[in-house]
């Protein structure tokens, strides 16, 4: 990503999600709580971080999914 991360999430019902951008050392650099509506949701986050590799953690209903993201220069 350059300056913005766009995530497409599908929800069966209205629910809360927490998105965290975490460094590989485990430091939470950005955290946002969002409410999803039933159906497809497009979420954009604009973390201010240096170039490098990060983990995007998406937590909902007690489950967490991790995605590797790379910040370009």
């Amino acid at each position: 990503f350059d300056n913005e991360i766009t995530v497409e999430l599908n929800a069966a019902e209205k629910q809360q999600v927490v998105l965290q951008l975490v460094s590989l050392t485990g430091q939470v650099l950005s955290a946002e709580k969002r409410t999803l509506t039933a159906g497809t949701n497009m979420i954009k986050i604009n973390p201010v971080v240096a170039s490098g590799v990060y983990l995007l953690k998406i937590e909902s209903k007690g489950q967490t999914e991790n995605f590797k993201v790379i910040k370009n220069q």
Side-chain angles (χ1 to χ4, degrees), residues 1-9 19-22 29-32 34 41-50 52-58 67-72:
F1 69 98
D2 289 315
N3 295 313
E4 180 177 83
I5 300 172
T6 302
V7 180
E8 181 178 323
L9 298 171
L19 296 103
Q20 293 183 325
L21 190 67
V22 181
L29 305 170
S30 171
E32 296 186 25
R34 300 283 181 97
N41 296 263
M42 299 297 285
I43 297 177
K44 296 182 180 186
I45 59 173
N46 299 300
V48 179
V49 294
V53 179
Y54 300 92
L55 291 177
L56 178 63
K57 293 186 172 192
I58 301 174
F67 301 91
K68 183 170 83 170
V69 294
I70 299 172
K71 164 78 172 171
N72 301 316

Side-chain angles (χ1 to χ4, degrees), residues 7-18 34-43 58-61 63 65:
V7 180
E8 181 178 323
L9 298 171
N10 293 306
E13 59 189 22
K14 182 177 178 180
Q15 60 185 286
Q16 295 283 321
V17 296
V18 176
R34 300 283 181 97
T35 301
L36 302 182
T37 57
T40 302
N41 296 263
M42 299 297 285
I43 297 177
I58 301 174
E59 189 176 327
S60 177
K61 292 188 170 187
Q63 296 183 357
E65 291 191 56

